[in-house]
Amino acid sequence: MWFIETVVLSCIITLGWTLMFSVPKRYILPCLLMTAFGFGLKTALVYQHIHIVVASFFGAMLASFLGVYFSKKYTLPPKALISPSVICMMPGIAAYKAMVSMVQIGYFGFSDELFSQMMVYLFEALFVTSGLVLGLSIPGLLFYRRRPIV
């Protein structure tokens, strides 16, 4: 039950971003489907104890492949569909905790524990963001390449 709740909440986040990006009404459902499948895959992989970076990579890649499919079906640029559907996978909590640790270092003074905590959260946020970027770029490299690979 928690899995369905998590996916529905991520779809609500995507609905808000589609309204903010002024995506036309008939393209909101494909964005929500991309979010449900991409975020659902990420959540399922994290539940199976796969590292969050790898799970974010595969979730973003699935959402991006679906975005390429829907963009060809509706003749839209793929970024118009992919961008709102991947925002819910951004590592906001890790980035926030890294920032709080940084502020605590400034307020309480330097300590090895706070610095170590800050670096762990900082690198987690950086690597999850990198995984999302790489996952988003794979379908573009495969389908929109102008020169042959070989």
Side-chain angles (χ1 to χ4, degrees), residues 9 29 34 36 43 46 48 50 54 56 59 67 69 76 79 89-90 94 103-104 117-118 137 142-143:
L9 288 174
L29 182 63
M34 290 164 39
T43 305
V46 168
Q48 295 297 323
I50 293 178
V54 177
S56 298
Y69 169 75
L76 282 172
K79 300 302 178 200
M89 290 191 237
M90 294 300 281
V103 170
Q104 286 178 344
Q117 181 181 2
M118 179 192 70
S137 66
L142 292 176
F143 295 121

Side-chain angles (χ1 to χ4, degrees), residues 99-110:
M99 181 193 65
V100 167
S101 299
M102 193 180 309
V103 170
Q104 286 178 344
I105 288 173
Y107 185 74
F108 295 118
F110 181 82

Side-chain angles (χ1 to χ4, degrees), residues 3 20 33-34 36 38 42 61 66 70 77 90 100-103 109-110 123 128 136 142 148-149:
F3 180 76
M20 187 179 284
L33 287 173
M34 290 164 39
K42 176 194 169 200
M61 191 168 61
L66 289 173
F70 285 130
M90 294 300 281
V100 167
S101 299
M102 193 180 309
V103 170
F110 181 82
F123 282 117
V128 169
L136 289 174
L142 292 176
I149 294 174

Side-chain angles (χ1 to χ4, degrees), residues 29-39 63-64 66-67 70 81-82 85:
L29 182 63
C31 286
L32 295 178
L33 287 173
M34 290 164 39
T35 299
F37 284 114
F39 190 81
S64 188
L66 289 173
F70 285 130
L81 295 173
I82 295 171
S85 65

Side-chain angles (χ1 to χ4, degrees), residues 26-131:
R26 63 179 184 250
Y27 305 131
I28 291 177
L29 182 63
C31 286
L32 295 178
L33 287 173
M34 290 164 39
T35 299
F37 284 114
F39 190 81
L41 178 65
K42 176 194 169 200
T43 305
L45 290 176
V46 168
Y47 183 72
Q48 295 297 323
H49 304 293
I50 293 178
H51 198 273
I52 191 167
V53 175
V54 177
S56 298
F57 169 75
F58 284 115
M61 191 168 61
L62 177 63
S64 188
F65 273 118
L66 289 173
V68 169
Y69 169 75
F70 285 130
S71 69
K72 288 184 179 185
K73 183 177 180 181
Y74 296 119
T75 62
L76 282 172
K79 300 302 178 200
L81 295 173
I82 295 171
S83 297
S85 65
V86 177
I87 288 178
C88 61
M89 290 191 237
M90 294 300 281
I93 294 173
Y96 175 76
K97 287 182 178 181
M99 181 193 65
V100 167
S101 299
M102 193 180 309
V103 170
Q104 286 178 344
I105 288 173
Y107 185 74
F108 295 118
F110 181 82
S111 74
D112 289 335
E113 294 174 9
L114 281 176
F115 184 74
S116 173
Q117 181 181 2
M118 179 192 70
M119 294 308 283
V120 165
Y121 289 130
L122 177 72
F123 282 117
E124 180 180 337
L126 287 174
F127 284 129
V128 169
T129 304
S130 299

